[in-house]
Amino acid sequence: MGIDVSLNEIATASNNQVCLLGNLPPRDVLATGTAEEIERETKKMIREFDHPNRLIASCGGGMPPGVTSDSISSFINAVYSIRK
C-alpha cells in the first residue's frame, strides 16, 4: 500500500484480518513538515483509522532522506500521546 490508499480501504480489502504498517506521507509530512504539522497529521492518521489497535504507526514507504531527529521525535510523541 502507499499513501494514496487509506488505511480503512486496506483494512476493508483485507477483511480486517491484518495489522497495517504506515501510513504517514514520508516526504510531504515527515521530511518537510514542521513539528506541529507532523504531530497533527500523525494524530489525524490514527484517529481516522477505524481500527487503531491494528496499526503500527510509521511513515508510508520508508524513511526519506533528510528527516531530522526532531521530526522523528514529533512523530513518536504524537503516537504516544494519542495511544495513552
Side-chain angles (χ1 to χ4, degrees), residues 20-24 42 45-46 52 55-59 75 79 83:
L20 300 179
L21 174 71
N23 206 23
L24 190 71
T42 300
M45 172 185 72
I46 295 168
L55 175 65
I56 300 170
S58 178
C59 60
F75 173 75
V79 172
R83 297 248 170 131

Side-chain angles (χ1 to χ4, degrees), residues 37-38 55 57-58 70 82:
E37 290 168 334
I38 293 167
L55 175 65
S58 178
D70 288 342
I82 203 165

Side-chain angles (χ1 to χ4, degrees), residues 1-2 8 16 20 35-36 40 47-48 52-53 63 70 72:
M1 75 182 184
N8 286 317
N16 298 317
L20 300 179
E36 293 79 18
R40 181 184 66 241
R47 286 184 179 129
E48 288 182 351
N53 290 333
M63 186 70 64
D70 288 342
I72 295 170

Side-chain angles (χ1 to χ4, degrees), residues 4-75:
D4 295 331
V5 180
S6 78
L7 294 170
N8 286 317
E9 289 173 299
I10 297 298
T12 299
S14 67
N15 201 25
N16 298 317
Q17 297 296 310
V18 296
C19 183
L20 300 179
L21 174 71
N23 206 23
L24 190 71
R27 183 195 67 212
D28 296 338
V29 176
L30 195 59
T32 61
T34 64
E36 293 79 18
E37 290 168 334
I38 293 167
E39 182 175 343
R40 181 184 66 241
E41 292 301 314
T42 300
K43 288 179 178 181
K44 179 181 171 191
M45 172 185 72
I46 295 168
R47 286 184 179 129
E48 288 182 351
F49 185 39
D50 293 338
H51 310 279
N53 290 333
R54 301 193 118 197
L55 175 65
I56 300 170
S58 178
C59 60
M63 186 70 64
V67 175
T68 65
S69 296
D70 288 342
S71 293
I72 295 170
S73 291
S74 295
F75 173 75

